[in-house]
Amino acid sequence: MRTILVVGGAGYIGSHMVQMLAEAGYRTITLDNLSTGHRDAVLHGDFVRGDLGDAMLLEQVFQSNRIGAVMHFAALSQVGASMADPAEYYRNNTVSTLRLLDTMRRHGVDQFVFSSTAAVYGQPDQAVITEQTPTLPINPYGHSKRMVEQVLADYDAAYGLRHVALRYFNAAGADPQGRLGERHEPETHLIPLVLQAASGTRDAITVYGSDYPTRDGTCVRDYIHVRDLCRAHMLSLEYLDSGAASATFNLGNGEGFSVREVIDAARLVTGRRILAVNAARRPGDPASLIANAGLARRVLGWLPEHPDLETMIRHAWNWHLKQAGGPAVAAACPDNALARVGS
């Protein structure tokens, strides 16, 4: 049974990854400091509470286990927070990752799957983004991820430490069986914020900008189901295990949905009234960001299984109801989404 170290495996995407690895027969070790993750989200394998910056702890983990590969989900990811405290972001996202890579080198572990981000592209001129689009980050978060990508290229050339860097667009949804979901504090992602407005835990959803050059005037983004993201990581692991060269891939559906389309889909799925309030544009928000993920499809054989926006929202809504109060809350919903899970 091959052992995979999942750093940040108690977070939103990381916990879904641990679950998928276990389903595929891998042994997992989750390392997480629980600063943003949740211990009860790690449903399989071993758990080590600790910080990626703790060199002695990393050494103990690698000495005690025969680790075959490492998956990295342990980054801080809030753009605004990175602007307010860039030191924390460079320390956690860049310096601590270097420490992890050096520990891998000492123990002969040469396969690394890295969760990068579309933020490395900054504000590109084109709406549909390929891996050849120039990487020009505009905030410390994007810079910290781009720095790691450069380190990985250099470590590959010098030490033979091979990697796959996956540039996410907008992760969404939840485990279709309701075992895991998205829990952030504070919440900043659009779909869970809209669902908070649907359930009454938020008065309204704010629409920042209604005069963009898009089909309805609101920003367009590419959403990808969290399970589809995890499937791409599994394929990346298999890709590296086959001896293939390091690579970078975009991950997205290749189709964008506007803020208003997300709100309308949430109204349909939940059967709830959702109040939307218009506000001024936020500085730095591009009108449209859509991934060209053709390279991942061709090279990895990756194909999203849940590309439909309503499916992503339905899975997220089921999780939201479960967290808000389970069956009692679900029964109060006039259009019970729990009874309508179709995928």
Side-chain angles (χ1 to χ4, degrees):
M1 184 182 293
R2 194 172 184 217
T3 299
I4 310 300
L5 175 63
V6 184
V7 297
Y12 171 42
I13 301 171
S15 61
H16 284 81
M17 188 72 247
V18 169
Q19 178 177 277
M20 186 174 285
L21 286 165
E23 291 169 354
Y26 290 93
R27 174 184 176 234
T28 59
I29 303 171
T30 295
L31 173 65
D32 200 299
N33 63 11
L34 300 183
S35 60
T36 58
H38 304 273
R39 176 63 183 91
D40 62 352
V42 183
L43 303 181
H44 305 276
D46 298 330
F47 178 80
V48 178
R49 182 169 183 174
D51 196 272
L52 196 57
D54 186 336
M56 290 183 62
L57 177 62
L58 282 177
E59 192 66 26
Q60 290 171 5
V61 169
F62 277 82
Q63 284 181 353
S64 303
N65 300 277
R66 186 178 178 182
I67 294 170
V70 176
M71 290 185 169
H72 185 296
F73 301 91
L76 299 172
S77 61
Q78 300 300 323
V79 170
S82 78
M83 300 287 284
D85 191 1
E88 184 179 14
Y89 272 66
Y90 289 122
R91 186 181 306 112
N92 181 83
N93 294 3
T94 308
V95 175
S96 291
T97 304
L98 276 169
R99 187 166 289 117
L100 171 63
L101 293 172
D102 287 339
T103 306
M104 290 174 62
R105 286 179 52 217
R106 284 195 298 274
H107 291 271
V109 182
D110 65 352
Q111 297 181 26
F112 188 70
V113 181
F114 179 59
S115 59
S116 191
T117 171
V120 300
Y121 295 114
Q123 293 181 279
D125 294 333
Q126 65 265 47
V128 179
I129 300 166
T130 72
E131 291 83 359
Q132 284 69 49
T133 299
T135 50
L136 301 168
I138 59 172
N139 51 65
Y141 167 58
H143 280 294
S144 70
K145 289 282 197 172
R146 184 66 189 92
M147 287 177 180
V148 173
E149 288 189 4
Q150 183 59 59
V151 168
L152 289 172
D154 293 339
Y155 272 45
D156 184 6
Y159 311 125
L161 197 161
R162 292 175 301 118
H163 69 274
V164 171
L166 298 170
R167 293 172 177 168
Y168 303 174
F169 280 64
N170 292 63
D175 170 47
Q177 298 182 40
R179 295 165 294 184
L180 295 167
E182 189 167 7
R183 284 187 281 170
H184 295 125
E185 185 58 46
E187 186 55 72
T188 60
H189 293 172
L190 177 61
I191 289 177
L193 289 174
V194 171
L195 295 181
Q196 288 177 7
S199 66
T201 56
R202 177 178 296 273
D203 292 335
I205 184 68
T206 303
V207 179
Y208 293 101
S210 57
D211 59 350
Y212 284 96
T214 59
R215 52 187 171 266
D216 62 16
T218 63
C219 288
V220 172
R221 295 293 183 266
D222 190 331
Y223 294 89
I224 177 172
H225 197 288
V226 63
R227 288 279 297 187
D228 289 330
L229 277 178
C230 291
R231 179 61 182 153
H233 285 75
M234 288 286 292
L235 292 169
S236 298
L237 193 61
E238 295 168 8
Y239 171 86
L240 290 173
D241 203 37
S242 73
S246 295
T248 298
F249 301 105
N250 284 343
L251 292 182
N253 280 323
E255 180 181 0
F257 301 100
S258 73
V259 173
R260 291 203 186 280
E261 288 168 343
V262 170
I263 295 170
D264 287 342
R267 288 170 175 149
L268 179 64
V269 167
T270 66
R272 300 291 184 89
R273 178 178 178 270
I274 300 173
L275 179 62
V277 178
N278 290 330
R281 294 186 185 189
R282 293 181 299 192
D285 272 349
S288 182
L289 290 175
I290 301 172
N292 180 331
L295 188 63
R297 295 176 186 240
R298 292 191 302 273
V299 175
L300 298 179
W302 175 72
L303 186 68
E305 295 179 357
H306 305 291
D308 181 70
L309 178 61
E310 288 185 21
T311 299
M312 289 184 243
I313 292 175
R314 186 174 298 119
H315 292 165
W317 178 237
N318 292 340
W319 169 255
H320 184 81
L321 289 177
K322 181 179 178 181
Q323 294 301 297
V329 175
C333 179
D335 183 9
N336 188 354
L338 286 175
R340 301 194 296 122
V341 179
S343 58

Short mmCIF file of all heavy atoms in Angstrom, two decimals, residues 16 101 115 118 134 145 148 171 173-174 179 190 195 238 241 257 313 331 340:
data_model
loop_
_atom_site.label_atom_id
_atom_site.label_comp_id
_atom_site.label_asym_id
_atom_site.label_seq_id
_atom_site.Cartn_x
_atom_site.Cartn_y
_atom_site.Cartn_z
N HIS A 16 -11.04 16.35 0.85
CA HIS A 16 -11.64 15.57 -0.24
C HIS A 16 -10.58 14.70 -0.92
O HIS A 16 -10.87 13.58 -1.36
CB HIS A 16 -12.28 16.51 -1.27
CG HIS A 16 -13.59 17.09 -0.83
ND1 HIS A 16 -13.68 18.17 0.01
CD2 HIS A 16 -14.87 16.74 -1.13
CE1 HIS A 16 -14.96 18.47 0.22
NE2 HIS A 16 -15.70 17.61 -0.46
N LEU A 101 10.37 20.52 0.61
CA LEU A 101 11.08 19.96 -0.55
C LEU A 101 12.47 19.47 -0.17
O LEU A 101 12.93 18.42 -0.65
CB LEU A 101 11.17 21.02 -1.66
CG LEU A 101 9.84 21.43 -2.30
CD1 LEU A 101 10.07 22.62 -3.24
CD2 LEU A 101 9.22 20.27 -3.06
N SER A 115 -0.67 22.16 -5.43
CA SER A 115 -1.87 22.93 -5.74
C SER A 115 -1.47 24.39 -5.91
O SER A 115 -1.24 25.10 -4.93
CB SER A 115 -2.92 22.78 -4.65
OG SER A 115 -2.43 23.19 -3.39
N ALA A 118 -4.76 30.03 -10.28
CA ALA A 118 -4.89 30.94 -11.41
C ALA A 118 -4.42 32.35 -11.05
O ALA A 118 -4.22 33.18 -11.95
CB ALA A 118 -6.34 30.98 -11.88
N PRO A 134 1.15 34.67 -19.99
CA PRO A 134 2.19 35.17 -19.09
C PRO A 134 1.74 35.16 -17.62
O PRO A 134 0.59 35.48 -17.31
CB PRO A 134 2.42 36.60 -19.58
CG PRO A 134 2.04 36.58 -21.02
CD PRO A 134 0.88 35.61 -21.10
N LYS A 145 2.88 31.70 -4.73
CA LYS A 145 2.66 30.46 -5.48
C LYS A 145 3.57 30.40 -6.71
O LYS A 145 4.13 29.33 -7.03
CB LYS A 145 1.19 30.37 -5.91
CG LYS A 145 0.23 30.11 -4.78
CD LYS A 145 0.24 28.64 -4.36
CE LYS A 145 -0.97 28.29 -3.54
NZ LYS A 145 -1.09 26.85 -3.28
N VAL A 148 7.05 29.31 -5.80
CA VAL A 148 7.18 27.87 -5.60
C VAL A 148 7.26 27.16 -6.95
O VAL A 148 8.05 26.22 -7.12
CB VAL A 148 6.02 27.32 -4.75
CG1 VAL A 148 6.08 25.79 -4.69
CG2 VAL A 148 6.07 27.89 -3.34
N ALA A 171 -12.68 26.52 -7.15
CA ALA A 171 -13.18 25.27 -6.60
C ALA A 171 -14.58 25.48 -6.02
O ALA A 171 -14.87 26.53 -5.43
CB ALA A 171 -12.25 24.76 -5.51
N GLY A 173 -18.56 23.20 -4.80
CA GLY A 173 -19.24 21.95 -4.54
C GLY A 173 -18.79 21.28 -3.26
O GLY A 173 -18.09 21.86 -2.43
N ALA A 174 -19.19 20.03 -3.11
CA ALA A 174 -18.89 19.24 -1.92
C ALA A 174 -19.00 17.77 -2.28
O ALA A 174 -19.45 17.42 -3.37
CB ALA A 174 -19.86 19.60 -0.79
N ARG A 179 -20.43 13.85 3.00
CA ARG A 179 -19.50 13.58 4.10
C ARG A 179 -18.56 14.75 4.37
O ARG A 179 -18.07 14.91 5.48
CB ARG A 179 -18.69 12.32 3.77
CG ARG A 179 -19.51 11.05 3.68
CD ARG A 179 -18.74 9.92 3.01
NE ARG A 179 -18.47 10.21 1.61
CZ ARG A 179 -17.88 9.37 0.76
NH1 ARG A 179 -17.49 8.19 1.21
NH2 ARG A 179 -17.68 9.70 -0.49
N LEU A 190 -17.85 32.73 -3.51
CA LEU A 190 -19.18 33.17 -3.91
C LEU A 190 -20.28 32.15 -3.59
O LEU A 190 -21.31 32.52 -3.01
CB LEU A 190 -19.19 33.50 -5.41
CG LEU A 190 -20.55 33.92 -5.98
CD1 LEU A 190 -21.07 35.18 -5.29
CD2 LEU A 190 -20.46 34.12 -7.49
N LEU A 195 -25.24 30.70 -0.64
CA LEU A 195 -26.04 29.72 0.11
C LEU A 195 -26.30 30.21 1.54
O LEU A 195 -27.33 29.87 2.13
CB LEU A 195 -25.33 28.37 0.11
CG LEU A 195 -25.22 27.72 -1.27
CD1 LEU A 195 -24.52 26.38 -1.18
CD2 LEU A 195 -26.58 27.58 -1.94
N GLU A 238 -0.50 9.41 -10.78
CA GLU A 238 -0.25 8.30 -11.70
C GLU A 238 0.70 8.72 -12.82
O GLU A 238 1.57 7.93 -13.25
CB GLU A 238 -1.58 7.82 -12.28
CG GLU A 238 -2.51 7.21 -11.25
CD GLU A 238 -3.92 7.01 -11.76
OE1 GLU A 238 -4.14 7.20 -12.99
OE2 GLU A 238 -4.82 6.67 -10.96
N ASP A 241 4.14 8.73 -11.38
CA ASP A 241 4.55 7.36 -11.08
C ASP A 241 4.96 6.61 -12.34
O ASP A 241 5.74 5.65 -12.28
CB ASP A 241 3.41 6.63 -10.38
CG ASP A 241 3.90 5.45 -9.57
OD1 ASP A 241 4.99 5.54 -8.97
OD2 ASP A 241 3.19 4.42 -9.53
N PHE A 257 -19.32 31.13 -15.64
CA PHE A 257 -20.64 31.49 -15.15
C PHE A 257 -20.54 32.85 -14.47
O PHE A 257 -19.61 33.11 -13.71
CB PHE A 257 -21.16 30.45 -14.15
CG PHE A 257 -21.27 29.06 -14.72
CD1 PHE A 257 -20.28 28.12 -14.46
CD2 PHE A 257 -22.32 28.71 -15.55
CE1 PHE A 257 -20.36 26.84 -14.97
CE2 PHE A 257 -22.42 27.43 -16.07
CZ PHE A 257 -21.44 26.50 -15.80
N ILE A 313 -23.74 23.44 -7.02
CA ILE A 313 -24.50 24.15 -5.99
C ILE A 313 -25.34 23.19 -5.16
O ILE A 313 -25.43 23.31 -3.94
CB ILE A 313 -25.37 25.24 -6.64
CG1 ILE A 313 -24.46 26.34 -7.22
CG2 ILE A 313 -26.33 25.84 -5.62
CD1 ILE A 313 -25.20 27.41 -7.99
N ALA A 331 -35.96 19.83 6.33
CA ALA A 331 -37.40 19.67 6.23
C ALA A 331 -38.10 21.00 6.08
O ALA A 331 -39.18 21.10 5.48
CB ALA A 331 -37.92 18.94 7.46
N ARG A 340 -33.04 15.64 -3.90
CA ARG A 340 -32.89 15.81 -5.33
C ARG A 340 -31.44 15.65 -5.79
O ARG A 340 -31.05 16.20 -6.81
CB ARG A 340 -33.41 17.19 -5.77
CG ARG A 340 -34.87 17.39 -5.42
CD ARG A 340 -35.48 18.58 -6.15
NE ARG A 340 -34.86 19.83 -5.74
CZ ARG A 340 -34.27 20.66 -6.58
NH1 ARG A 340 -34.16 20.38 -7.84
NH2 ARG A 340 -33.75 21.80 -6.13
#
